[in-house]
Amino acid sequence: MTSLPHEAASMTDIIACSGAAAKVIDGKAAAAAVDAAVAEGVRQITPTLGRIPCLAVVLVGQNPASALYVRNKIRRAEAVGMRSVQHRLSADVNQKTIIDLIRQLNTDAGVDGILVQLPLPAGLDGARVVQSLDPTKDVDGLTSRNAGALVLGAAGIRPCTPSGCVFLARRTLGDLTGKSVVVIGRSILVGKPATLLFLAENCTVTLTHSRTGDLPRICRQADIVVAAVGRPGLVKGSWIKPGALVIDVGINRIDSKDGQSRLVGDVDFESAIETAGFITPAPGGVGPMTIAMLLVNTVAAASHRAGLDVPDPVAAVLPR
Ligand code: GUN
């Protein structure tokens, strides 16, 4: 087994796969380390706050995947000692009702973070709903103020999934300065903020998307590939520079030959594992880290709003 490039990553969170080149990164183990640091933060601020930090989650409609994500977010929030409140609205709700609910949560002194699970059902304007969030409670980091702060490198709440990608990259490779990163996908939730977050780590970042010409050639230059384009198995092993880190953000449901459906990422895992040095599985890689970063953002929002100074859980797990 090759030695680990960065001592912060332990053998328990990188599973060696016999016969394959890449080591598979265990996102659940990495997320558990962050959750433990968040739980410590919750314990520290609760007495001064005089109440338990609280995450409010808004779920509109019956999308089974969204319902599952929300259940996991609430379960993990409660596991680190937070309170959670869930608001479920039917798919035919009108936009004003959602925005009125958010305004109420914005002014509720007992709520520290608000998350509106996306996408919203057809006919609702997700972007407008997100903009109605109080930026100090926007624990997804999607409001204009937080997105602008990310562009400017100013203080603000950073989006969860791309923060989770950077965390996994730092935990696996250590200092990312000078690394070449190719991000595939230009979404507001992942691709665009991931580009800026890796740039803030002094990486050289190329943002690509479904219309980019000769994607395989561009990918082959990358030390780190972040696949977030929503195309099952798009990224092949032949696109990967030997030894590179592959972070698969995709979660796509596809029909299997046996009539069942299963979840696959944007990376063709079987071929990529042969070329990559490190690879995240999908599911089980980035997904757990997204929730860990949501909890980091919520405890930070609770402490900032109360004027408290709580140690950053990410810095506790991964000191610079
Ligand atoms: N849908 C898929 N991922 C996310 C996320 O990170 N936040 C929200 N609000 N919705 C999502």
Side-chain angles (χ1 to χ4, degrees):
M1 191 177 284
T2 50
S3 65
L4 290 170
H6 181 53
E7 58 192 5
S10 75
M11 270 306 166
T12 52
D13 26 343
I14 297 180
I15 306 160
C17 277
S18 59
K23 294 191 169 53
V24 180
I25 295 169
D26 184 347
K28 288 184 193 163
V34 177
D35 282 10
V38 172
E40 180 53 34
V42 170
R43 270 192 294 277
Q44 279 182 30
I45 65 169
T46 297
T48 323
L49 216 53
R51 57 178 180 79
I52 299 171
C54 174
L55 172 67
V57 181
V58 178
L59 174 63
V60 186
Q62 307 288 338
N63 181 323
S66 292
L68 177 64
Y69 292 143
V70 163
R71 273 200 303 282
N72 286 338
K73 287 170 183 177
I74 287 174
R75 182 178 52 79
R76 290 265 298 279
E78 292 177 355
V80 298
M82 288 181 194
R83 191 167 80 81
S84 74
V85 288
Q86 196 184 159
H87 294 270
R88 301 187 80 136
L89 304 172
S90 67
D92 58 3
V93 70
N94 68 35
Q95 179 110 348
K96 181 171 180 309
T97 305
I98 309 176
I99 291 177
D100 285 348
L101 169 63
I102 289 171
R103 293 213 172 108
Q104 194 188 313
L105 295 169
N106 284 344
T107 55
D108 185 337
V111 169
D112 300 292
I114 310 168
L115 175 141
V116 180
Q117 186 64 28
L118 300 172
L120 292 181
L124 294 167
D125 183 347
R128 271 194 57 199
V129 169
V130 164
Q131 292 310 329
S132 69
L133 292 163
D134 174 344
T136 66
K137 295 189 178 186
D138 164 30
V139 283
D140 258 328
L142 298 177
T143 53
S144 301
R145 196 162 99 197
N146 285 316
L150 173 58
V151 173
L152 297 174
I157 302 178
R158 305 301 194 222
C160 305
T161 300
S163 299
C165 293
V166 170
F167 181 91
L168 289 176
R170 284 188 53 220
R171 193 170 167 87
T172 306
L173 301 178
D175 183 10
L176 302 180
T177 298
K179 301 284 184 204
S180 149
V181 180
V182 169
V183 177
I184 313 172
R186 52 182 153 178
S187 69
I188 288 166
L189 219 47
V190 186
K192 285 183 191 172
T195 300
L196 292 162
L197 284 170
F198 278 103
L199 186 61
E201 298 292 327
N202 304 311
C203 297
T204 305
V205 192
T206 306
L207 175 55
T208 68
H209 47 80
S210 55
R211 308 284 182 89
T212 299
D214 207 352
L215 204 43
R217 182 187 57 79
I218 296 170
C219 277
R220 271 193 290 273
Q221 293 163 3
D223 301 312
I224 302 170
V225 175
V226 179
V229 70
R231 298 255 181 114
L234 175 77
V235 178
K236 309 287 185 266
S238 59
W239 298 22
I240 307 297
K241 177 161 100 175
L245 165 61
V246 178
I247 301 178
D248 191 353
V249 182
I251 291 285
N252 311 285
R253 187 166 288 284
I254 59 161
D255 293 330
S256 305
K257 290 188 192 96
D258 58 6
Q260 304 282 327
S261 68
R262 65 190 175 102
L263 295 174
V264 298
D266 290 350
V267 175
D268 176 28
F269 190 83
E270 303 302 317
S271 64
I273 198 172
E274 299 297 333
T275 330
F278 303 91
I279 187 167
T280 65
V286 175
M289 280 309 306
T290 294
I291 303 182
M293 291 303 168
L294 171 69
L295 304 178
V296 166
N297 287 346
T298 306
V299 76
S303 37
H304 290 155
R305 288 181 51 253
L308 302 174
D309 196 16
V310 69
D312 174 11
V314 169
V317 177
L318 267 189
R320 296 240 178 222

